[in-house]
Amino acid sequence: MPRITRGESVGGIYHVINRGNMRMQVFDDAEDYAYFLKLLQDGLKREAVELHAYCLMPNHFHLLLVPLVEGSLSRLMQWVMTSHVRYYHRKNKTSGHIWQGRYKSFIVQKDSYYLSLLRYIEANALRANLVNEAEAWVYGSLWERMSQERQLLDESLIALPKDWALHVNTPLHEKELTIVRNSVNRQSPLGELEWMEKTAEIFGLASTLNSRGRPKRKEV
């Protein structure tokens, strides 16, 4: 698949993901998860970027980021990914590609899909049957919200319901899941149709809104 042109808008909301090369497992133990979270924490201190949700999975991760300065998201991710690859090779005495190329990022409309994407990201481990309750996954932001034992998150752009954990543990409607997965598969903006079309035009992403012939496998 050709690389999609990536625009970065100050104040934009971005769903950022990356997967292990050939879907290999990247996080093998608690040390690996902890190291990546520490890199993320240090990177957020280096760059003016807000973190609104995250979930580290055995072979991939999801982040919801808001860059506050031009180029800050790109610099953050480049530093985190480069630093992690060095750590991985040093620990495992390996070489070569760890991640599936560059990270991917998808701009999100605040008013329509911000909360849906929060739920999507924070329920990732639950959908993958790694835990029975989403807040039990200690490498995700719902665990942080509930335990308050980690301080990576910035204040939510939209007030969360008091029973937020219940919302996250309630499965998204299939239509909502499909819309989010289409954004990931097509590398397209996520929001209402008119907003997506306008945003795609601004950032040169019109091709990502075109339907494709062969359906992609479901992602978590």
Side-chain angles (χ1 to χ4, degrees):
M1 179 185 295
R3 178 178 295 177
I4 301 297
T5 301
R6 176 162 45 227
E8 183 176 322
S9 173
V10 173
I13 305 167
Y14 289 88
H15 179 196
V16 176
I17 69 170
N18 208 345
R19 299 184 182 279
N21 189 36
M22 303 295 291
R23 295 181 177 266
M24 65 177 276
Q25 182 163 311
V26 176
F27 303 112
D28 295 320
D29 52 34
E31 179 186 4
D32 289 347
Y33 286 106
Y35 192 87
F36 193 91
L37 288 171
K38 183 60 166 59
L39 284 177
L40 191 57
Q41 183 178 44
D42 291 345
L44 292 168
K45 292 177 181 177
R46 293 166 57 100
E47 300 293 344
V49 177
E50 291 182 350
L51 176 64
H52 290 261
Y54 60 89
C55 190
L56 308 188
M57 299 288 283
N59 70 350
H60 69 282
F61 65 76
H62 294 262
L63 308 174
L64 194 60
L65 300 172
V66 177
L68 303 180
V69 174
E70 184 176 356
S72 57
L73 188 151
S74 297
R75 291 192 298 270
L76 168 69
M77 293 308 302
Q78 181 178 14
W79 183 83
V80 169
M81 302 307 297
T82 300
S83 299
H84 176 263
V85 168
R86 289 172 180 165
Y87 157 81
Y88 185 95
H89 286 320
R90 184 171 64 249
K91 178 187 176 185
N92 296 286
K93 297 180 174 56
T94 55
S95 61
H97 295 292
I98 304 303
W99 295 99
Q100 201 175 68
R102 297 174 67 197
Y103 69 92
K104 297 177 182 178
S105 63
F106 323 100
I107 192 167
V108 181
Q109 186 179 19
K110 174 183 174 183
D111 297 332
S112 60
Y113 282 98
Y114 175 79
L115 290 182
S116 292
L117 195 52
L118 278 181
R119 289 175 62 195
Y120 176 86
I121 291 173
E122 295 192 338
N124 214 241
L126 178 64
R127 283 195 305 278
N129 296 316
L130 295 177
V131 288
N132 293 321
E133 295 180 327
E135 62 268 34
W137 186 248
V138 299
Y139 312 116
S141 51
L142 185 60
W143 181 87
E144 176 178 334
R145 293 187 204 280
M146 302 301 292
S147 69
Q148 298 182 345
E149 293 184 26
R150 190 184 294 143
Q151 297 181 341
L152 295 181
L153 292 174
D154 287 278
E155 184 176 354
S156 176
L157 296 176
I158 299 175
L160 303 181
K162 291 183 179 179
D163 57 348
W164 178 245
L166 177 61
H167 283 264
V168 176
N169 281 287
T170 302
L172 287 166
H173 295 300
E174 189 62 32
K175 181 179 179 181
E176 291 177 283
L177 275 175
T178 298
I179 290 171
V180 174
R181 286 167 173 161
N182 281 343
S183 171
V184 172
N185 290 334
R186 298 178 182 178
Q187 302 182 50
S188 66
L190 175 63
E192 300 296 337
L193 180 59
E194 184 177 350
W195 178 89
M196 288 196 301
E197 291 176 343
K198 182 178 180 180
T199 302
E201 182 179 357
I202 291 172
F203 293 107
L205 299 171
S207 64
T208 68
L209 300 183
N210 298 331
S211 59
R212 296 177 180 177
R214 179 178 296 177
K216 297 274 187 161
R217 71 176 70 183
K218 287 187 177 181
E219 305 288 5
V220 295

